[in-house]
Amino acid sequence: MSGLKEQVVNGIKWSIMAKLATQAFSWISTFTVIRILTPDDYGIMAIAMIFFSLISIFTTNGLIVALVRQQGDIAKSKNQIFTLSLLLNLLLSAVLAASASHIALWYDNQELTKVLWVMAAINPISSFMVVPKAALQINMRFKEKAIVESGAGLMAAAVAFGCALSGFGYWSLIFSDITLSLLTMIGLNWVAKERFKPTFSWHGTREIVGFALNVQFSQLIWFAYNKADTILIGRLLGVDKAGVYNVGSEIASIPMSKVNAIMGEVAFSAFAKTKDDISLAKGYLKKALRLMGVVVFPMFYGISAVADETINLLLGENWSAAGPVVAILCIILPFRMLVSVMNNFCTGMGMARFGLQNGIVTACVLITAIAIGASYGLVQAAFAWVVGFLFVYMFLLFRFNRTFNLPLSTMLVFWPVFIISSCMLAGVNAVDYWVIPVDMPVWGRFLLKVATGALLAGPVILYLYGREIRDLLKRNG
């Protein structure tokens, strides 16, 4: 298993390096585009993406997970899975296109109709990513996968930037998304070199499709509570408010989406390979939770401390309403990422139904909380997310302990860095309230708060976790 450990570490390292290599320009482009566009533009895109994210659960995501769990040779099932994905994609995209005018009417925004038509036309190409993406994950070829996705992300950011400057409005975001999908599809197929074709022979697919259905329903529940805020805010408060909330949520979630994309794929592949050795899998889980905690708590609580200043510096005063949303959501995002690692563990162990049950409870709690909060405003919706997810997290700790006999020392292995980061956040806010002058320029306030946070948390984290951080950074690919 030492070879697997090396593959996991190298997979994480290469993924991080490839992401960072292109992230600087991507972030600059993203923030510039947000400055140029309006909350209404981002609200239209946010609502449109809800429906395509829903389609992807059934047409790509669950099928990829099912293929990866097979491990070994996927020659027998890859044609069947590709065909199933393509047929579902064509059907669901057609249904969405036919429903576009009714969706636009429900949100009282007719611009949604054209956006949904265009995106429905291009959406089926995602089926051509299922087999190559699964093959790369099975073979732990995260270096090639990360390079392709980073390169496609870079080009998509450039398209969004150029179109926004040229006055395309919300179409800048649509064209960027199309560019990302096309280039990712081409790149993944080129590096994976997996041949697949349509087939209508379904013999032997019952088990893999059954597992995929369990995963898909789990992801559907996840989708319901993760998108409930945008759906409800767009309906109750308006598309422009949904745009503000979505931008705030996206900025808060940038680290989560990047780290989760890396850790999720690598961790799931590792857990799937150790599914026959539960004690070894538990060991990997503890290490993954510890490493994730070291990264996410200081990062998110640091972002929370400077949320208002970050929004004003990056996006301008027109987006200042997003600041409190970022600050509040960053409190709970580390716990969401830890739960993501735990879910990868149970899925890798073949316990998709267990994940589905957890998701149903999570959805019921969070949708109820968000519905109450969204009826009062943006800040209240974000606060409802925090309160609801804390209840969910405690429930999940209890279930994982009972089902997998996981001790609290494993599931709460991150507690020292959580305490350190919480104290850092409290200290920075105290300095902001009692020490920093009200009339200090935004950039000065930002730098002073960053320096305060670094001084409060940095030395303690390096003392406790320095060896692990250095070991990860010194690994050679």
Side-chain angles (χ1 to χ4, degrees):
M1 287 297 176
S2 60
L4 174 59
K5 181 179 180 180
E6 195 69 24
Q7 284 180 308
V8 171
V9 174
N10 288 337
I12 295 173
K13 181 179 178 181
W14 270 111
S15 296
I16 292 174
M17 288 173 62
K19 296 287 185 183
L20 291 179
T22 58
Q23 202 61 67
F25 176 78
S26 179
W27 283 348
I28 292 171
S29 173
T30 298
F31 297 141
T32 304
V33 170
I34 294 174
R35 274 182 172 270
I36 296 171
L37 301 184
T38 66
D40 194 61
D41 292 330
Y42 268 87
I44 290 172
M45 184 62 176
I47 291 171
M49 288 306 299
I50 287 172
F51 298 97
F52 292 98
S53 298
L54 176 60
I55 291 175
S56 70
I57 291 173
F58 297 100
T59 60
T60 56
N61 299 350
L63 299 177
I64 291 172
V65 172
L67 276 178
V68 172
R69 184 176 178 270
Q70 268 198 305
Q71 296 294 310
D73 187 13
I74 60 173
K76 181 180 178 181
S77 55
K78 64 182 179 182
N79 290 336
Q80 298 164 326
I81 292 299
F82 165 68
T83 304
L84 179 60
S85 172
L86 185 59
L87 290 175
L88 287 172
N89 235 331
L90 290 170
L91 174 63
L92 295 177
S93 296
V95 170
L96 182 59
S99 308
S101 59
H102 300 288
I103 294 171
L105 181 63
W106 198 71
Y107 280 103
D108 193 25
N109 191 305
Q110 292 305 311
E111 298 297 322
L112 272 170
T113 303
K114 294 178 289 185
V115 172
L116 292 173
W117 283 346
V118 170
M119 295 184 70
I122 200 71
N123 191 59
I125 69 170
S126 62
S127 293
F128 291 84
M129 304 183 205
V130 172
V131 173
K133 187 175 286 190
L136 292 173
Q137 287 183 225
I138 289 171
N139 296 309
M140 307 293 279
R141 293 170 59 190
F142 298 104
K143 173 183 174 181
E144 295 99 317
K145 182 175 180 295
I147 291 173
V148 167
E149 292 178 344
S150 296
L154 181 62
M155 292 302 298
V159 168
F161 181 68
C163 290
L165 288 177
S166 301
F168 281 85
Y170 58 79
W171 287 108
S172 307
L173 306 174
I174 310 301
F175 295 149
S176 174
D177 188 72
I178 292 173
T179 301
L180 178 65
S181 296
L182 283 171
L183 293 181
T184 303
M185 183 269 292
I186 294 170
L188 289 176
N189 280 278
W190 184 68
V191 299
K193 294 179 173 59
E194 284 283 337
R195 295 182 179 274
F196 52 92
K197 61 183 179 181
T199 182
F200 292 98
S201 172
W202 304 105
H203 179 70
T205 60
R206 182 174 181 178
E207 181 180 352
I208 187 172
V209 171
F211 179 81
L213 284 173
N214 280 326
V215 174
Q216 287 166 345
F217 278 113
S218 295
Q219 292 182 347
L220 179 62
I221 300 300
W222 178 93
F223 168 88
Y225 65 77
N226 273 277
K227 299 300 181 181
D229 45 10
T230 301
I231 294 171
L232 292 170
I233 290 171
R235 174 63 176 168
L236 297 174
L237 302 178
V239 171
D240 58 331
K241 293 295 191 295
V244 171
Y245 185 91
N246 195 66
V247 165
S249 178
E250 281 190 0
I251 290 176
S253 302
I254 284 175
M256 183 179 76
S257 62
K258 302 305 177 185
V259 177
N260 252 2
I262 296 167
M263 292 291 290
E265 292 173 354
V266 177
F268 171 67
S269 298
F271 290 139
K273 287 181 180 293
T274 59
K275 61 179 180 289
D276 296 325
D277 189 339
I278 187 66
S279 61
L280 184 62
K282 288 180 180 179
Y284 278 122
L285 175 63
K286 185 173 184 178
K287 291 177 182 178
L289 291 175
R290 180 178 173 87
L291 179 60
M292 183 71 87
V294 171
V295 173
V296 298
F297 280 106
M299 178 170 56
F300 280 111
Y301 284 23
I303 294 173
S304 178
V306 296
D308 289 332
E309 293 79 11
T310 300
I311 293 297
N312 283 325
L313 288 171
L314 294 178
L315 309 183
E317 293 183 0
N318 290 337
W319 291 90
S320 59
V325 174
V326 174
I328 294 170
L329 291 180
C330 280
I331 300 298
I332 202 64
L333 287 177
F335 293 96
R336 289 180 62 185
M337 294 182 70
L338 293 168
V339 168
S340 178
V341 174
M342 293 162 64
N343 286 337
N344 279 315
F345 169 79
C346 73
T347 304
M349 295 298 101
M351 299 283 287
R353 188 178 297 274
F354 176 78
L356 175 61
Q357 294 167 349
N358 291 339
I360 291 172
V361 174
T362 301
C364 291
V365 173
L366 289 181
I367 291 174
T368 302
I370 293 167
I372 296 172
S375 62
Y376 292 97
L378 298 180
V379 172
Q380 290 83 351
F383 185 72
W385 235 113
V386 173
V387 174
F389 200 84
L390 284 176
F391 279 106
V392 167
Y393 186 74
M394 289 186 288
F395 168 76
L396 292 179
L397 287 181
F398 172 77
R399 287 212 76 200
F400 271 82
N401 174 262
R402 292 287 299 272
T403 303
F404 297 103
N405 195 28
L406 287 169
L408 288 178
S409 60
T410 292
M411 293 184 289
L412 298 179
V413 68
F414 57 84
W415 73 265
V417 74
F418 165 69
I419 297 297
I420 296 167
S421 301
S422 298
C423 292
M424 177 270 292
L425 177 58
V428 171
N429 285 332
V431 169
D432 181 36
Y433 185 81
W434 295 103
V435 178
I436 300 178
V438 177
D439 57 351
M440 177 177 281
V442 175
W443 61 267
R445 180 183 295 271
F446 174 82
L447 292 176
L448 185 55
K449 291 173 76 172
V450 168
T452 302
L455 288 173
L456 289 174
V460 183
I461 291 175
L462 287 175
Y463 175 77
L464 292 177
Y465 302 99
R467 180 180 299 177
E468 292 168 297
I469 296 172
R470 288 191 297 271
D471 182 60
L472 178 61
L473 295 177
K474 288 180 180 179
R475 297 270 181 175
N476 293 319

